[in-house]
Amino acid sequence: MRRPVIAGNWKMHKEFSEVVSYATRFAKAISDVRDSDIIICPPFIYLRTLVEAFKDTPVSVGAQMMYWEDKGAYTGEISGPMLKSTGVEYVIIGHSERRQYFGETDDTVNLRIKAALRNHIIPILCVGETLEQRENSETFDVIDRQLLQGLDSLEAASAESIIVAYEPVWAIGTGKTATPEIAQEVHERIRHVLSSMFGSHTAEEIRILYGGSVKPDNVDELMRQKDIDGALVGGASLDPESFERIVRYKE
Ligand code: PEP
């Protein structure tokens, strides 16, 4: 039985004064939730504040990115050891906005995944097709390539801890959610590819999240799908009440 994961990606939102009041309200609201892993991924500069604010609560903190070298002359970058020493437990890797606007490739995704695992940080690998790729019936080709290259040369033992997020690019921030059937079909494909790479036992352990306009009113049906083990939530994680409702999805 895979433990569900509900992760919020704040992207480049919120100013410092909002961060602490969010954390106080949200931590109180979900203090009784025990059956899911709850993660919030704020911008880098709020990581330490949230690690402290969520100490002794069910909420863990994740970064939205990391560099693959551990240290050195890389102005502006943040490394795995830095994140780990701050109390960060997860990191999003290969988000489509990084791929679209900042030149992220499957090769750099692979370097970052390995660096995260080396530093005992759980990577959340994002994969997903654009609208054009879906319309050209390339969805499975794109997903297969992103998994095969992004997770290239990983040992099954370390692959077991990773989280994969299926995020169709056409559904991110657009209000268009993949139907539960579309999402389930791609999640099943992802598990199949993971099984061919790492064996069926490992593939059964890996949590696969759906992301793309997840909201309080569509999370329940998505979470009922066999291969959907959680959600990666952008916009709806910015408001503590709507994120609480998502965390308290009903199966
Ligand atoms: C995301 O940023 O990963 C995401 C899925 O965003 P949204 O929920 O706003 O579509």
Side-chain angles (χ1 to χ4, degrees):
M1 184 62 187
R2 295 179 292 270
R3 188 173 159 82
V5 182
I6 306 290
N9 172 16
W10 283 3
K11 312 193 188 196
M12 196 176 73
H13 290 291
K14 294 197 185 294
E15 294 187 5
F16 186 69
S17 59
E18 301 166 71
V19 168
V20 177
S21 63
Y22 180 113
T24 312
R25 275 169 68 188
F26 185 65
K28 204 170 159 203
I30 52 77
S31 60
D32 61 316
V33 177
R34 291 281 171 271
D35 42 10
S36 301
D37 290 338
I38 308 170
I39 307 163
I40 291 190
C41 304
F44 283 130
I45 56 165
Y46 306 138
L47 286 170
R48 182 65 192 170
T49 303
L50 284 190
V51 165
E52 278 167 9
F54 289 133
K55 195 165 172 265
D56 302 323
T57 76
V59 187
S60 302
V61 177
Q64 298 174 12
M65 250 284 285
M66 64 175 277
Y67 194 51
W68 56 81
E69 295 291 346
D70 284 352
K71 62 180 172 183
Y74 304 104
T75 302
E77 294 293 335
I78 303 286
S79 72
M82 291 174 186
L83 294 177
K84 192 71 192 171
S85 69
T86 306
V88 168
E89 294 174 70
Y90 298 86
V91 60
I92 298 173
I93 306 279
H95 191 280
S96 64
E97 287 151 16
R98 302 300 313 176
R99 295 180 192 258
Q100 252 182 308
Y101 308 134
F102 301 102
E104 185 83 271
T105 65
D106 292 318
D107 289 341
T108 53
V109 162
N110 183 247
L111 290 169
R112 290 185 220 277
I113 295 270
K114 287 177 181 158
L117 291 169
R118 185 170 75 237
N119 286 290
H120 309 287
I121 300 170
I122 298 176
I124 303 174
L125 166 64
C126 298
V127 297
E129 80 287 3
T130 62
L131 184 59
E132 193 185 357
Q133 290 164 334
R134 172 158 285 271
E135 285 173 351
N136 289 337
S137 308
E138 291 167 7
T139 299
F140 284 1
D141 293 343
V142 171
I143 300 293
D144 292 6
R145 190 201 69 229
Q146 289 176 337
L147 291 170
L148 290 168
Q149 294 184 18
L151 300 176
D152 182 44
S153 69
L154 245 63
E155 305 276 333
S158 50
E160 201 168 288
S161 70
I162 66 164
I163 296 173
V164 176
Y166 169 54
E167 298 213 307
V169 180
W170 47 270
I172 297 180
T174 58
K176 286 185 203 159
T177 322
T179 61
E181 294 73 29
I182 290 181
Q184 167 57 29
E185 185 187 34
V186 181
H187 280 232
E188 195 178 329
R189 174 68 174 202
I190 292 172
R191 209 173 296 286
H192 170 78
V193 177
L194 293 172
S195 175
S196 73
M197 295 177 79
F198 305 113
S200 59
H201 172 77
T202 300
E204 282 303 318
E205 296 289 311
I206 296 177
R207 275 105 41 103
I208 308 176
L209 318 185
Y210 170 77
S213 298
V214 175
K215 306 276 183 249
D217 62 5
N218 60 23
V219 64
D220 299 345
E221 217 186 332
L222 287 160
M223 289 300 291
R224 279 183 206 126
Q225 306 304 307
K226 175 173 163 282
D227 287 292
I228 299 186
D229 306 313
L232 179 54
V233 186
S237 72
L238 294 172
D239 171 52
E241 268 132 46
S242 74
F243 197 43
E244 180 196 352
R245 171 62 184 84
I246 292 172
V247 167
R248 293 186 188 280
Y249 68 87
K250 299 177 179 65
E251 260 188 312

